[in-house]
Amino acid sequence: MGIRAKLFILFKSSRPVNLAMMMLSLLLLRYCLIIPAYQVIYNYTNTFPSHLSKIDFTLIIFAVLLTATLGYYLNDFHDYYIDEKNKPGTNKIRTIFTKKSIQTFYVIGLIINILLGCYLAIKINKPIMGAIFPFSLFTLWHYNHTLKKITWVGNITIAFLSFLVVLTPALFEPDYYTNIAFTLIYALFAFFISWIRELVKDIEDIAGDTIGQRKTLPVVYGIKFSKSIAILLCIVLMAFISMVHYFYFYKNQVFSMWNMLAFFLIPVVALIYLIYSANTSQDARFAQLFCKYYMLIGILSLIPFYYFFIK
């Protein structure tokens, strides 16, 4: 196999669309929430709070994307035979990685994450924050070896890591901690929609997971029960979104709270219908892709939030 073919496999296995969404979310969180919050403080105190430089923030993005990329490689390596059943010919990671090489990649990535974490933690004088990047990569390793095989635990683990990705830029800005609730809202949104998406993906992949003896929710409890849990999580997400809009925008004069609620809740209603009516693997795939597009809507909502309520 030529070098170009190998590079293409690496590129495809890295889930470039997912990486792009992660990078976009980190950039928008910094420049639509964190830096504007500092600007508000500056307007009142005439002192701009200390914050990470653009270079240091770039290192955060690099560490997050490196962790995610290695996690995807680990996932494809361990799911190779299951993917041959679910999506034949799409997973070719074992044509370029041996077990030893994937372990070497992991160790190199872990060392880089430790070094970056320590450097950034020293910069902000918060030693505990140095553990975020190696913790995330270690969790992904443990997830691919053990956690994904445990009912409930695998999905919640990925949802938590999605939550952590969104929260990361705020955690490395100590002067922003008083306003971290705004970032926490987006992090919780990421947690719920990721959990729903992972559950729907398990419904989509039930055939291969059954052969691979994975104890996913659909394998253990059946598709009907799994759909019920996914729909329940959608309802919880709708309640969370409604609570946030009521608390922050009920008396807002810029936008009608009801129009904003409709914009965010109608897609969840559509998602509930897609999950409920999914009778084939292709139906479930469409539902989990819809989750991804809805996540993108959530990320992009940072732009009007900045423009209308902060700027």
Side-chain angles (χ1 to χ4, degrees):
M1 181 182 296
I3 185 67
R4 291 178 64 180
K6 291 181 179 180
L7 289 174
F8 178 77
I9 292 172
L10 287 175
F11 175 75
K12 185 179 178 182
S13 298
S14 69
R15 317 292 202 278
V17 173
N18 291 0
L19 295 182
M21 288 180 61
M22 288 182 199
M23 184 169 68
L24 178 64
S25 65
L26 295 174
L27 287 168
L28 291 180
L29 285 163
R30 176 177 171 86
Y31 291 107
C32 292
L33 274 185
I34 298 173
I35 298 301
Y38 286 163
Q39 184 63 50
V40 171
I41 294 173
Y42 173 77
N43 293 340
Y44 281 96
T45 66
N46 207 32
T47 301
F48 204 91
S50 61
H51 59 284
L52 292 178
S53 67
K54 291 180 179 179
I55 293 177
D56 292 335
F57 180 66
T58 301
L59 293 178
I60 289 178
I61 293 177
F62 175 78
V64 169
L65 297 187
L66 173 65
T67 301
T69 300
L70 290 173
Y72 290 136
Y73 289 163
L74 287 168
N75 181 79
D76 281 358
F77 188 84
H78 287 280
D79 283 359
Y80 177 78
Y81 298 107
I82 291 176
D83 287 343
E84 280 299 294
K85 171 63 179 179
N86 292 324
K87 292 162 280 190
T90 59
N91 184 349
K92 300 181 180 180
I93 200 71
R94 283 183 180 255
T95 62
I96 56 175
F97 277 136
T98 63
K99 185 176 181 179
K100 184 176 181 179
S101 64
I102 199 77
Q103 290 173 341
T104 301
F105 263 61
Y106 170 78
V107 171
I108 293 173
L110 186 61
I111 292 171
I112 293 173
N113 272 359
I114 291 172
L115 293 175
L116 289 177
C118 289
Y119 166 75
L120 292 167
I122 291 171
K123 286 291 294 275
I124 65 172
N125 197 29
K126 297 284 184 182
I128 190 63
M129 295 304 165
I132 290 179
F133 303 133
F135 165 78
S136 298
L137 189 53
F138 174 78
T139 301
L140 284 170
W141 176 273
H142 195 40
Y143 165 80
N144 280 286
H145 279 80
T146 307
L147 299 180
K148 68 163 55 176
K149 302 173 184 177
I150 304 174
T151 310
W152 296 98
V153 176
N155 292 343
I156 295 174
T157 299
I158 296 300
F160 173 75
L161 290 175
S162 298
F163 169 90
L164 191 58
V165 166
V166 174
L167 204 58
T168 293
L171 292 176
F172 280 97
E173 296 284 358
D175 286 350
Y176 178 74
Y177 286 179
T178 54
N179 296 298
I180 203 170
F182 294 106
T183 305
L184 190 61
I185 289 169
Y186 280 92
L188 287 171
F189 171 82
F191 175 85
F192 283 116
I193 197 65
S194 295
W195 191 357
I196 294 166
R197 182 170 180 261
E198 288 298 312
L199 184 50
V200 175
K201 281 176 64 180
D202 284 345
I203 294 173
E204 176 190 356
D205 295 339
I206 187 172
D209 288 339
T210 301
I211 293 173
Q213 298 182 330
R214 293 278 172 80
K215 296 185 181 298
T216 63
L217 213 63
V219 171
V220 175
Y221 295 105
I223 291 178
K224 186 176 180 179
F225 177 82
S226 302
K227 284 185 179 181
S228 300
I229 297 299
I231 291 171
L232 177 61
L233 289 173
C234 287
I235 294 172
V236 172
L237 177 60
M238 292 175 69
F240 171 70
I241 292 172
S242 300
M243 180 187 69
V244 170
H245 279 76
Y246 179 82
F247 186 79
Y248 287 103
F249 303 119
Y250 180 65
K251 297 182 179 180
N252 188 271
Q253 301 300 314
V254 180
F255 280 123
S256 164
M257 183 197 75
W258 302 108
N259 290 339
M260 294 175 66
L261 270 177
F263 179 80
F264 284 100
L265 294 185
I266 288 175
V268 186
V269 174
L271 177 59
I272 289 174
Y273 171 76
L274 290 174
I275 294 171
Y276 176 79
S277 62
N279 294 316
T280 65
S281 176
Q282 190 63 32
D283 293 339
R285 176 169 176 75
F286 185 79
Q288 65 97 351
L289 287 175
F290 189 88
C291 288
K292 184 182 291 188
Y293 295 134
Y294 185 57
M295 188 179 296
L296 180 61
I297 291 175
I299 294 170
L300 293 177
S301 71
L302 281 160
I303 298 175
F305 180 86
Y306 163 72
Y307 187 78
F308 289 104
F309 301 112
I310 297 180
K311 188 175 179 182

